[in-house]
Every structure is written in structure tokens, then in C-alpha cells.
Amino acid sequence: MLARLNTFALTGIDAVAVDVEVDVAGGIAKTILVGLPEQAVRESIHRIERALANLGYQRPSGRTVINLAPADLPKSAGALDLPIALGLLVATRQVAAELLEQVASVGELALDGSVRPVKGALAMAMACRDRGLKRLLVPAADAAEAAVVREVEVFGVTTLGDAVGLLTGQIEVEPYRGGLVDEMFAQLNRYEIDFADVRGQEFAKRAIVVAAAGNHNCLMIGPPGTGKTMLARRLPTVLPPLTPDESLETTRIYSALGRLPAGQALMTTRPFRSPHHTVSDAGMVGGGHIPTPGEISMAHHGVLFLDELPEFNRKSLEVLRQPLEEGRVTISRALASSTFPANFILVAAMNPCPCGFLGSPLRPCKCTPIQVEKYLGKVSGPLLDRIDLHIEVPAVPYQELAASADGTTSTAMREQVARARAAQAARFGTGSVQANGRMTGRQLRKFATPDAAGQSLLKSAMEDLGLSARAHDRILRMARTIADLAGSDKVAGDHVSEAINYRTLDRKLWAK
């Protein structure tokens, strides 16, 4: 008898529909699995056979062919165990075939028949909805995540026996309800840290406001222990609130990687990623035989923080160029290519020299000019050109550290950012560009042309500092954001002046 079931295979962050076809005939007992199964799928036959036996089900006694269509799509991981097992039960007439119409299933089986969690449950539920299927069987641990998709009835099962009982009506099970999902949405954008914890550094906080208001990248340079990491970690607290759609996009990435926190169906805050400087280029942007997302995609709609920037491998930094410009990354392989979202704010921090105290009034620098030049040369000019704000973060005086009053709070900074973002929303409407930092050249000429004083300042800066055309455009984008923060419709000279001040640090250090 031939059985057909619906399931899904994960490719990158997308779930692709897979048809499981099981045919059991007479003859010598042998099981053949076709349809480009990877090693984990080929091994599943042994798991499934023992699970069937341990739960008391009859195993196929003749020649069994299991086909996973489409045949040209590689299938990996153990999520196909449950649908294959159900297909064997249908093909051996232990479960009626009509019970599996309009039903999809995913799950990995243990030898005792229990169903283990799988990666990408949210993407699979979205694919189930798009295919018009009404019911989805998932491991019980993944039910909350899959139930975010309200159009599909999601059933969490703990064993293969539960799945069979649910389909045959022997067990009464209600679909997983999304009440907890509503609570998750209500908890969006709650942070336990605040900029009030950072004493002093008001100039740096102003730069953070500009970065958050316009989605601008930022580089902080200063001696050790001046608060660079504290500032970076608190940037998500002043970004615009994470919307439900953004939460779903980000959750989908973490779900596909199996990185969702236990018991959490949705990402409730903007992601903050801080990879170690030993990260590879594949770890940074994504890669693998079957491409998977990297750090920049995990920072989608959030912040990517690179601490000790010169310590990163040069190749790992240079691969950031295209994602910083386009907001996505494409990983190409011989048979196919995958595109992952990567719309993030890059925040980098570094010391001005190997010992960290170049230019510090507190301690003398012990580095030679050659050492400083070699250290700074680890960061390329093209990458620096793509970072909008370059700011100094000096040591904080004792008086500010000992002060009883808190510094500027995240709430106050977030209010400024919200006003600037509201102006940008009115300016750009519902287009793909929603922030000044992502403006196209045409939009730049339309919305960010400075007045006569601003143009004069910009001309002088271009000539005196030797800025590139890219730096010219980034200064105008920053000036437009600064004008929005000031509530001005026009870009004036003082807005351009502040923007230029954020671009001079690389010339002070890298021109030596």
C-alpha cells in the first residue's frame, strides 16, 4: 500500500514542503530511502524501526521504499522521523490514510518512541499555513513556538503513540492555544539595563542617540575601562520598540538555529550579538555545506557589537562590507544560494593603541609609532568608511563617578529617538527604506540637501580631511538625522557641523 504525508525540511531559515511517500510491498524485508537524504536522515530508519517495535506497532515485513520529494532537495536533521513513522503505519494499514489529509507533522523520534524537539518549528508552521494545511503535529516542546502562527491548529505530541491516538481519536487533545503568545507580545521591549547606569560620557550618549535615531553604525575609541561596552550593550534600550512583525522575523532566525531560549516562543527584545574576536568569516556572515545564518543575521533588527575591533581576523571584518550596505547577505554554493536578512546596527570598540593609553592624560603610552601604526592598520579604510560615527570615549573623572545623580536615562534618550523616527516614518512612508542611515542616493538629494552654510562646511571638510564620496553621503545622512532630532525640516549648517565632528577621529589616528 502507498501512503503520502506532508512534512517540511529546513533550508537556511526557510521551511520547504516535502512529500513523504511510503510504499510497502511483498518480498524480502528491506527498507530503501531515496530523495537525497543526508546522513542524519539515512540513520533515522534504525530509530524509527526500534520506536515502532518498542511501542508495540507492527513493522513492515516486505520491501519498503520511502521517497522524500522533491528529489533534488537535500534533506538533513531528524525532523522527518515522525512523518516517516506515520507513513509506515499508514502503509501497513495500522492507521487510516484519510486521517492524515490536511495534516503535516515534524519531529525526531527516540528509540522509546518519544518525540524530541526540532529546529525551525516557527518556519515550518508558516510554511504549513502557506500551503493551506490546517493541522500541524510538532514535538510538545515546540508547540508554543509553532502556535505563533494563528491560522494553523498546532498539536504538541510527546510520543509517537500520542500522535497516533490524536489522529485516530483515541486521545482527546485540544490545539495549543495562543494565550501565552499574547503575553509574550505584551512583554516586548522590556530591558533590565539602562543608560542611567553609565556615569558621565554624555558626548558618547549623544552619539548613541544619533546612531539609534537614524540606524547609523558607530565606532568607539578609548582607553580600557571607560564604558565602551556598557554603552554598546544599552543601545538596544533606546532603539524603537520591537514590533510583532520584527519579532517574528528575528525569532524565525533563532528558531532555525535552535537558539531560542528555553520556554520562550518569541524574541521579546532587540537582539544584541557580541561575537568573540576569534570568530571565522563563516561564523560572522553564515556558511556551511547547507548554508546557515551567522552572527550578522542573528543581530537582525538589533545590534552587532565587535569589541577589540583590531583583534578580529581581517577576513572576518572585510566580509561585513556588503551586508552593511545592503542589509542582507547571500551565501552561494555550487547547487544553490541562500539569502539571509542582516539589517543591524554595527557598534565597534577599540583601544587607540596596543597598550590602550595613547593620548590618555592618566597614563603614558608605552607603544612605539610603528606598533601603533601596525595596530591601527588592522582595520581597513573601506570598513571605516562604512562606519558613520567615530567617537572618543575618554576616561571618566572621579567627580562624575562619585556623583549621586544618575546620568541621562534610556527613557529620555528613547523619547528623542522616537521623535526622530516619527519624522522619518512620515518622510519615507511605507517604502523599504525606513531610516536615514539607509537612504538611497536619490532620497539623499531629495531630503538631505543642506543650506548654503552647510554646503560650505561640507566642501571644506571634503578638501581638508580627504573624505571619500561614501563619507560625504554618510555625513549627509547623519546631518539629516541630527536635523530630525532637532525637529528641523531643513538641514542647516550646525547639523552638518556636528555630523562632520563624528567623522574626524579616523583622520586624527589613521593619518599618522
Side-chain angles (χ1 to χ4, degrees), residues 101-362:
E101 295 178 0
Q102 294 295 307
V103 177
S105 58
V106 293
E108 176 184 335
L109 289 180
L111 298 184
D112 63 355
S114 59
V115 184
R116 290 172 171 157
V118 297
K119 297 179 181 179
L122 176 58
M124 293 175 183
M126 296 169 73
C128 188
R129 174 197 61 194
D130 296 340
R131 205 178 187 195
L133 299 174
K134 303 300 183 183
R135 307 169 80 191
L136 176 64
L137 306 185
V138 299
D142 297 323
E145 178 186 332
V148 171
V149 182
R150 305 287 182 91
E151 296 85 351
V152 176
E153 290 186 342
V154 174
F155 296 87
V157 295
T158 56
T159 68
L160 173 60
D162 289 345
V164 173
L166 188 153
L167 293 170
T168 58
Q170 296 174 343
I171 300 175
E172 293 290 335
V173 179
E174 290 292 323
Y176 188 93
R177 297 302 177 187
L180 294 178
V181 176
D182 294 330
E183 295 177 10
M184 294 293 291
F185 277 120
Q187 294 173 4
L188 290 177
N189 309 295
R190 293 184 180 180
Y191 298 90
E192 296 181 357
I193 55 178
D194 195 284
F195 269 104
D197 304 330
V198 182
R199 300 301 175 90
Q201 304 297 8
E202 293 301 318
F203 175 77
K205 290 183 180 180
R206 167 64 180 178
I208 292 291
V209 168
V210 174
N215 256 34
H216 300 291
N217 304 314
C218 179
L219 170 64
M220 296 181 286
I221 302 181
T226 57
K228 299 184 293 295
T229 301
M230 288 184 69
L231 289 165
R233 288 191 178 279
R234 283 156 179 76
L235 175 55
T237 69
V238 301
L239 288 171
L242 188 68
T243 65
D245 287 343
E246 290 175 337
S247 177
L248 285 173
E249 287 183 37
T250 307
T251 302
R252 186 174 157 203
I253 297 169
Y254 279 73
S255 170
L257 293 171
R259 301 292 291 273
L260 271 179
Q264 185 171 319
L266 284 172
M267 296 290 291
T268 57
T269 58
R270 292 192 178 273
F272 178 88
R273 299 298 303 172
S274 181
H276 192 261
H277 61 77
T278 57
V279 65
S280 66
D281 53 327
M284 184 71 81
V285 300
H289 172 61
I290 298 178
T292 55
E295 289 288 344
I296 63 173
S297 294
M298 294 181 71
H300 185 54
H301 291 314
V303 176
L304 177 67
F305 178 50
L306 303 183
D307 199 7
E308 305 296 344
L309 186 65
E311 301 300 331
F312 281 80
N313 182 282
R314 181 72 171 256
K315 190 177 180 182
S316 299
L317 293 179
E318 296 308 306
V319 293
L320 293 175
R321 294 192 197 178
Q322 179 233 351
L324 285 173
E325 295 286 345
E326 300 182 4
R328 63 181 182 275
V329 62
T330 300
I331 309 296
S332 298
R333 293 293 178 263
L335 297 178
S337 64
S338 299
T339 298
F340 302 127
N343 184 12
F344 59 92
I345 295 178
L346 173 65
V347 179
M350 61 178 289
N351 299 324
C353 66
C355 78
F357 295 100
L358 179 66
S360 172
L362 302 178

Side-chain angles (χ1 to χ4, degrees), residues 79-114:
L80 301 177
D81 288 9
L82 181 59
I84 292 175
L86 291 173
L88 289 171
L89 293 176
V90 171
T92 53
R93 303 181 187 277
Q94 298 176 77
V95 174
E98 59 270 16
L99 297 177
L100 287 160
E101 295 178 0
Q102 294 295 307
V103 177
S105 58
V106 293
E108 176 184 335
L109 289 180
L111 298 184
D112 63 355
S114 59

